[in-house]
Amino acid sequence: MTVKDMLGRSGVVSREDAQRVLNEHFVIPALSVDEIPISSALGRVLAFALVSPSDLPEFDRSTMDGYAVRSADTFGAAESRPALLNVVGDILMGTMPERAIARGEAMKIATGGALPAGADAVVMFEQTQPVDATSIEVVKPVAPLENVVQAGDDIKKGEVVLSRGHLLRPQDMSALAAVGITRIKVFERPRVAIISTGNEIVPADTFPGPGQIRDSNSYNLEGLIAQAGGVPVKKGIIPDDYARLRETLEAAIKDSALVLMTGGSSVGTADLTAKVINDAGQPGVLVHGVSIKPGKPLVVGLVGAPSRHVPVFGLPGHPAAVSICFDLFVKPILARLTGEAPDPALEGISPTRVVRARLARSIPSSPGREDHVRVALEKRDDGLWARPIFGASGLISTLVKAMGTVVVPVNKIGIEVGEEVDVRLF
């Protein structure tokens, strides 16, 4: 199917086709890089692989409170014939032992303490009994390296700790600190422009006049963009005026990696979104209309110079449609713009949390359309139930009350009460 075939209402395409066309045309540009302290690294994406400058741990250490020993000195030990060892010192935490141990000797050690030279195991306190102030009996043998972590067992010097494209988690920050890496290079967060359109839209902090509504979609998008790793940049509320819309879009393209226009993608005399996107640069509109509900009027395009195409989405004005379209179309592109490279083991697995539940009420659906129905979850004696929250896609309260969505496939005419469904949690 060509781009021309997709324009207008006659060009409504499936969700899969719309995603495929966008992915085929969009090429990720070179991404800029920031250097930041690891304390600010949560949720950022590594621009370069990180190699450990040292072993972790840097010395052999104990994993138990007890005595550092030569394992051979404990072989054959039992309650009836304990092994007698001389205690020749106490290893203080944060220091290296001042001497090695010889045959028949032991040193008291705490969890995490450094093993003295000559020792290759730690016998726990519970497996010993004191004889006097300077000697103990070991009543159970220990194997070589028992209760010991060797230098480099955790991370070896020169080992790749984290790869390029890795999304940093709290445990990753800890690992970097442990090997002494405190500053890292990450990809810049992509800037996402939000252009609110419509003659009827007014700022949220003003009192709307007759026929006017407060701008709420831009606040929803701010949160969704931030959650997905982007930086939301509001470009204001623009009336349905071609010149103003085109000027705003062209300015947004220059300083943003992605542009979202809300409120102007339904068919009507005031619908300028598709025309503005088409006129802003090639290839222009790729998709105008997707067979999903809510979200059918979605416009998807690419504009800008050939060397730097910027994705532009004309999102429907209804709040539920904004959220659904963002999740299905904007979020995957935004993830690519962050530089994240998901683990190959997760390929084909949705990053969205999904739970199984039984449907508390039947969901009707029209054939040839993929329905995304908001649902609330109820915990009953016999398990988890999903209760559909019906209402027009323009009702914000349906999103607030919902905990996720249930998808009715395009080839299915509804879902019956009691059927098991997958609930994609928000």
Side-chain angles (χ1 to χ4, degrees), residues 344 346-350:
L346 299 176
E347 186 176 353
I349 298 176
S350 171

Side-chain angles (χ1 to χ4, degrees), residues 249 253 258-261 273 277 299-303 310-314:
L249 175 58
I253 290 167
L258 190 152
V259 179
L260 304 179
M261 305 176 74
T273 302
I277 293 174
V299 177
V300 181
L302 288 174
V303 299
V310 176
V312 181
F313 293 86

Side-chain angles (χ1 to χ4, degrees), residues 184-195:
I184 58 175
K185 291 184 177 180
V186 296
F187 291 118
E188 284 186 1
R189 294 185 189 273
R191 290 167 55 89
V192 181
I194 304 170
I195 303 173

Side-chain angles (χ1 to χ4, degrees), residues 237-406:
I237 300 171
I238 312 301
D240 293 320
D241 175 81
Y242 175 85
R244 290 279 306 278
L245 284 172
R246 180 163 177 180
E247 178 186 6
T248 305
L249 175 58
E250 290 178 345
I253 290 167
K254 293 177 182 177
D255 65 5
S256 303
L258 190 152
V259 179
L260 304 179
M261 305 176 74
T262 67
S265 56
S266 59
V267 170
T269 57
D271 177 17
L272 298 176
T273 302
K275 178 172 174 55
V276 169
I277 293 174
N278 256 340
D279 294 347
Q282 293 297 317
V285 172
L286 301 177
V287 175
H288 190 179
V290 183
S291 56
I292 61 172
K293 180 185 178 182
K296 183 178 180 181
L298 175 71
V299 177
V300 181
L302 288 174
V303 299
S307 60
R308 183 180 174 271
H309 280 147
V310 176
V312 181
F313 293 86
L315 301 176
H318 290 162
V322 166
S323 292
I324 297 299
C325 288
F326 184 94
D327 186 58
L328 293 179
F329 301 98
V330 181
K331 191 174 179 179
I333 294 297
L334 187 51
R336 292 173 62 187
L337 287 167
T338 65
E340 183 182 358
D343 192 300
L346 299 176
E347 186 176 353
I349 298 176
S350 171
T352 305
R353 293 181 301 156
V354 177
V355 297
R356 294 285 289 173
R358 292 167 67 188
L359 201 59
R361 182 177 171 185
S362 295
I363 297 176
S365 179
S366 300
R369 181 183 69 197
E370 182 179 277
D371 276 9
H372 293 252
V373 182
R374 282 87 71 199
V375 298
L377 291 173
E378 299 173 352
K379 200 165 189 177
R380 303 179 184 176
D381 291 341
D382 56 351
L384 201 61
W385 288 75
R387 175 173 53 83
I389 299 177
F390 295 117
S393 59
L395 302 181
I396 298 174
S397 61
T398 63
L399 282 176
V400 175
K401 294 173 183 176
M403 298 177 70
T405 59
V406 168

Side-chain angles (χ1 to χ4, degrees), residues 149-161:
V149 172
Q150 289 185 289
D153 268 359
D154 197 348
I155 299 172
K156 287 181 169 53
K157 182 177 180 179
E159 178 182 342
V160 174
V161 183

Side-chain angles (χ1 to χ4, degrees), residues 24-265:
E24 286 177 354
H25 284 78
F26 180 51
V27 178
I28 298 294
L31 303 178
S32 300
V33 174
D34 284 334
E35 183 174 320
I36 61 171
I38 59 171
S39 57
S40 303
L42 184 63
R44 301 301 295 270
V45 177
L46 278 178
F48 300 95
L50 295 177
V51 175
S52 178
S54 61
D55 285 331
L56 182 67
E58 296 186 63
F59 52 87
D60 295 349
R61 68 184 186 190
S62 173
T63 62
M64 293 286 179
D65 293 340
Y67 294 94
V69 300
R70 296 169 71 252
S71 58
D73 289 341
T74 70
F75 292 168
E79 292 278 356
S80 58
R81 52 180 187 281
L84 181 65
L85 300 177
N86 293 323
V87 179
V88 296
D90 191 345
I91 301 167
L92 300 178
M93 290 298 294
T95 66
M96 293 300 291
E98 296 180 353
R99 55 159 290 183
I101 64 169
R103 183 176 179 182
E105 292 181 337
M107 295 183 77
K108 192 175 180 181
I109 192 169
T111 301
L115 250 67
D120 67 349
V122 172
V123 59
M124 295 187 292
F125 284 138
E126 300 91 316
Q127 295 168 357
T128 68
Q129 49 195 27
V131 176
D132 53 38
T134 61
S135 59
I136 59 168
E137 290 180 337
V138 178
V139 298
K140 185 177 179 181
V142 286
L145 302 180
E146 187 169 342
N147 302 322
V148 169
V149 172
Q150 289 185 289
D153 268 359
D154 197 348
I155 299 172
K156 287 181 169 53
K157 182 177 180 179
E159 178 182 342
V160 174
V161 183
L162 297 171
S163 301
R164 181 182 188 272
H166 182 81
L167 180 69
L168 286 149
R169 307 163 297 172
Q171 58 267 45
D172 302 324
M173 297 162 65
S174 174
L176 296 178
V179 296
I181 298 175
T182 58
R183 294 191 66 82
I184 58 175
K185 291 184 177 180
V186 296
F187 291 118
E188 284 186 1
R189 294 185 189 273
R191 290 167 55 89
V192 181
I194 304 170
I195 303 173
S196 299
T197 71
N199 295 328
E200 75 282 14
I201 307 298
V202 297
D205 58 357
T206 63
F207 191 83
Q212 295 181 326
I213 58 173
R214 293 186 179 93
D215 170 31
S216 61
N217 283 333
S218 69
Y219 293 90
N220 184 16
L221 287 171
E222 273 190 304
L224 291 170
I225 291 165
Q227 277 186 338
V231 177
V233 182
K234 287 187 175 183
K235 296 295 184 177
I237 300 171
I238 312 301
D240 293 320
D241 175 81
Y242 175 85
R244 290 279 306 278
L245 284 172
R246 180 163 177 180
E247 178 186 6
T248 305
L249 175 58
E250 290 178 345
I253 290 167
K254 293 177 182 177
D255 65 5
S256 303
L258 190 152
V259 179
L260 304 179
M261 305 176 74
T262 67
S265 56

